[in-house]
Amino acid sequence: MTDVMTEDLEKYRTELTGYCYRMLGSAFEAEDAVQDTMVRAWRALDSFEGRSSLRSWLYRIATNVCLDSLSAGNRRARPMDLTDPTPVAQARLNERPEITWLEPVPDGRVLPSVADPAETAVSRETVRLAFVAALQHLPPKQRAVLILREVLAWKASEVSELLGTSVASVNSALQRARATLAEQAPAASDAADPLDEEQKALLDRYVAAFEGYDMQALTALLHEDATMSMPPYDLWLRGHEDIVGWMLGVGEVCRGSKLVPTVANGAPAFAHYHPDPEGGFAPWALIVLQVHDGKIGGMDFFLDTKRWFPLFDLPDRLPA
């Protein structure tokens, strides 16, 4: 029986990773939390009495693991959660090591395959960087309640049983979480599963503009209030003028780069390779795009490629 149950546990790994990622804002911490959940569940299999479903039991364990992890009050953030945008004339690359940055995640690690298109759309939308960043403003238990009720569509009675509290308490927590989330107003994004022809054309134009370092063409693809960030630096920019000013100033080192398509956080993304003086192209950034209303509203450049490229199974360099 134990072997069968162990196989059953593994069936829930991807959806549990998605749940823990929304809770923790870190791909690596989410996978650690799920592994901890699986170990705890495996050790307790003999005492599992089946009074709840195996799935509910696993979510209870995963929730406790996440709440324990969040008990220190730490939350993950994006640069725009911490400061106002910086005019390009004053822009400086300052690392803030005390900040624990929100991390990108490959879709395949957190989005289980489901047959229902509506359920797929909700899953993708709720791992967007802006949505997960907004979740980080919620106290841990409110965060769990909102994810379980609004994202995973659990009943209030099921959530109350999982958290060991009353239905009234769950409903109250959900109401407060909704109010806080409304204040954060996560940026909108277009559905992209799969990409339609217009979206494919937009991304093709983005690659051509970026690789050709054509700032006029790039500007035409961006919303006027588009943003650009570069974790682990706290700098972020808003608007055509400042983004182009940066690209033609400090960012000029990116001229001649190559982009390789991937997906992250339910959104289009690219592995950005920089010309290497020794030949070929070396990893420079993972770019996650926010696309809405036919244009690009945000570009997040995650520069710690030693972490991100292996996670996304990306080549460690490109040939000349």
Side-chain angles (χ1 to χ4, degrees):
M1 175 178 175
T2 301
D3 290 340
V4 174
M5 291 290 283
T6 302
E7 291 179 7
D8 289 341
L9 294 181
E10 286 299 320
K11 294 177 183 177
Y12 296 100
R13 182 176 289 273
T14 301
E15 65 172 279
L16 285 170
T17 305
Y19 173 63
C20 293
Y21 174 71
R22 295 178 182 97
M23 285 289 291
L24 302 173
S26 162
F28 296 101
E29 288 185 6
E31 292 195 343
D32 287 346
V34 172
Q35 188 59 31
D36 191 358
T37 297
M38 293 297 184
V39 170
R40 293 188 191 189
W42 184 83
R43 288 174 176 170
L45 274 177
D46 290 341
S47 62
F48 176 59
E49 299 176 352
R51 286 178 292 185
S52 63
S53 70
L54 179 62
R55 182 173 183 254
S56 298
W57 185 58
L58 288 171
Y59 270 91
R60 181 181 296 111
I61 298 172
T63 299
N64 288 331
V65 170
C66 289
L67 293 178
D68 287 346
S69 177
L70 294 167
S71 61
N74 57 312
R75 73 174 178 90
R76 292 187 173 266
R78 300 183 302 162
M80 50 276 293
D81 299 322
L82 304 173
T83 65
D84 291 329
T86 304
V88 70
Q90 302 169 20
R92 299 290 183 275
L93 289 176
N94 300 312
E95 285 197 56
R96 293 177 61 163
E98 76 279 10
I99 298 300
T100 307
W101 298 108
L102 183 68
E103 296 180 353
V105 69
D107 283 14
R109 301 288 184 106
V110 295
L111 297 177
S113 300
V114 294
D116 184 353
E119 188 176 340
T120 299
V122 170
S123 295
R124 291 175 67 87
E125 190 62 33
T126 56
V127 294
R128 303 281 185 174
L129 288 169
F131 185 85
V132 178
L135 287 176
Q136 304 303 300
H137 291 272
L138 300 176
K141 284 195 175 180
Q142 284 187 28
R143 201 180 306 177
V145 167
L146 185 130
I147 296 168
L148 290 166
R149 292 281 285 118
E150 300 281 83
V151 178
L152 300 177
W154 284 40
K155 297 176 181 177
S157 58
E158 294 172 328
V159 178
S160 69
E161 182 180 353
L162 182 147
L163 294 176
T165 188
S166 67
V167 169
S169 177
V170 167
N171 289 335
S172 177
L174 179 60
Q175 186 175 9
R176 295 195 303 273
R178 283 172 173 167
T180 300
L181 210 62
E183 291 175 2
Q184 301 307 317
S189 56
D190 291 346
D193 183 28
L195 294 169
D196 61 29
E197 292 305 314
E198 183 179 348
Q199 291 167 331
K200 290 178 183 177
L202 173 68
L203 297 181
D204 287 344
R205 291 166 62 200
Y206 178 80
V207 171
F210 198 99
E211 292 186 346
Y213 228 67
D214 184 340
M215 292 299 108
Q216 183 175 355
L218 182 64
T219 297
L221 306 178
L222 303 177
H223 284 284
E224 288 187 9
D225 61 350
T227 62
M228 176 178 171
S229 72
M230 292 162 279
Y233 300 111
D234 60 5
L235 172 71
W236 69 284
L237 307 164
R238 173 180 280 155
H240 294 165
E241 185 175 341
D242 283 339
I243 291 175
V244 170
W246 176 267
M247 298 286 282
L248 294 178
V250 177
E252 182 75 24
V253 294
C254 292
R255 187 182 291 273
S257 294
K258 297 293 183 183
L259 300 184
V260 174
T262 183
V263 287
N265 294 81
F270 292 94
H272 174 192
Y273 291 86
H274 188 267
D276 189 334
E278 298 182 3
F281 298 84
W284 188 259
L286 176 74
I287 308 173
V288 183
L289 300 182
Q290 172 201 316
V291 177
H292 65 93
D293 298 331
K295 287 192 173 184
I296 295 167
M299 300 182 291
D300 293 298
F301 289 70
F302 292 92
L303 301 179
D304 191 357
T305 57
K306 289 182 180 179
R307 285 169 65 80
W308 310 131
F309 277 42
L311 181 68
F312 282 78
D313 295 322
L314 293 164
D316 58 5
R317 66 183 297 106
L318 298 180

